[in-house]
Amino acid sequence: MLSLMFRQASYDAPTESELLELAAEDDGTVLGAEKAEQKRLKEENWAVYTEANKKGAGNTMNRG
């Protein structure tokens, strides 16, 4: 938990991902299991997105 505080964007307002990670750590509870599944789906969706959208494949018309 201490390492999470150092990665935190703001001590007063943790990000949605940080809140989801903390909730997923509640092992043995129904809510913890649901949050762990939400976290897994979010990470899987991000992996699919990054695979489909390679770095540099965005707006090629604006080359500055």
Side-chain angles (χ1 to χ4, degrees):
M1 169 119 167
L2 186 58
S3 64
L4 180 63
M5 289 175 34
F6 289 110
R7 294 185 307 187
Q8 199 167 322
S10 169
Y11 289 115
D12 297 330
T15 64
E16 180 183 339
S17 295
E18 292 168 342
L19 290 173
L20 189 59
E21 184 175 341
L22 287 172
E25 290 177 358
D26 292 336
D27 292 337
T29 65
V30 174
L31 181 62
E34 290 173 1
K35 294 298 181 179
E37 180 65 12
Q38 284 179 353
K39 182 178 182 232
R40 186 191 67 78
L41 286 173
K42 183 175 180 179
E43 290 172 352
E44 184 177 332
N45 289 339
W46 180 249
V48 169
Y49 173 81
T50 55
E51 182 135 345
N53 300 289
K54 296 295 182 188
K55 184 173 181 175
N59 184 1
T60 59
M61 298 300 290
N62 185 15
R63 294 187 181 217

